[in-house]
Amino acid sequence: MQLIDQGGTNHGTVPFETAIAMAQEAGLDLVEISPNSTPPVCKILDVGKYKYQAQKKAAEARKKQKIVEIKEIKVRPMIDDHDYDVKMRSMKRFFEEGDKVKVTLRFRGREMAHQELGTKLLERIKEDTGPLAKVESEPRFEGRQMIMVLAPR
């Protein structure tokens, strides 16, 4: 078997008994790293310490990853300019935090007869968020509402 000691030095091909004797002499474990290679590769190391370090590395990787949330902004076809500006400010904040935004445009009563107003509003939102976000899903109808999903650039 190919043997690597605790310092990382390669001892070349060594008989199994010699490898176990070296591991016991060092007070560590003999671990098979690559069993499918010819000859198999073994390493002398402390298994408890190795597992602990692997666990710490996995925890650090989990801590660094960003979970993308989907924030929802609800609008109506006849939204006023100031209300629109407030919604745009909050959308901008969501994009800066790295979150996706789901824009839901709800139609009530006779507003369903003027769906072109809703389409114009979603196009306006798409243009205004152009530098900050890209359209992940185009506006589509689901019952009495139109839905569009925007993702940060």
Side-chain angles (χ1 to χ4, degrees), residues 91-121:
M91 267 195 258
K92 183 179 178 186
R93 191 180 74 242
F94 294 151
F95 291 135
E96 287 168 355
E97 292 171 2
D99 296 326
K100 293 181 182 180
V101 176
K102 177 180 175 181
V103 181
T104 305
L105 178 77
R106 173 165 259 142
F107 293 98
R108 285 168 43 186
R110 285 184 231 150
E111 291 173 350
M112 283 298 286
H114 300 286
Q115 294 174 3
E116 72 279 355
L117 294 174
T119 309
K120 281 182 190 173
L121 180 62

Side-chain angles (χ1 to χ4, degrees), residues 25-90:
E25 188 179 302
L28 299 171
D29 305 305
L30 182 68
V31 180
E32 193 172 29
I33 302 293
S34 177
N36 298 332
S37 63
T38 311
V41 179
C42 292
K43 190 171 186 178
I44 298 173
L45 52 84
D46 183 2
V47 174
K49 186 177 178 183
Y50 175 76
K51 283 184 177 178
Y52 175 75
Q53 287 174 337
Q55 186 180 10
K56 290 296 254 185
K57 197 180 286 185
E60 188 68 30
R62 272 196 308 274
K63 191 190 301 180
K64 286 184 180 175
Q65 73 182 181
K66 170 79 174 98
I67 296 149
V68 177
E69 291 184 40
I70 297 181
K71 305 285 190 174
E72 186 173 17
I73 297 284
K74 292 185 179 183
V75 292
R76 296 276 312 281
M78 299 302 292
I79 191 168
D80 198 44
D81 288 337
H82 181 263
D83 297 332
Y84 178 81
D85 294 339
V86 170
K87 301 276 187 188
M88 290 306 291
R89 271 201 306 272
S90 56

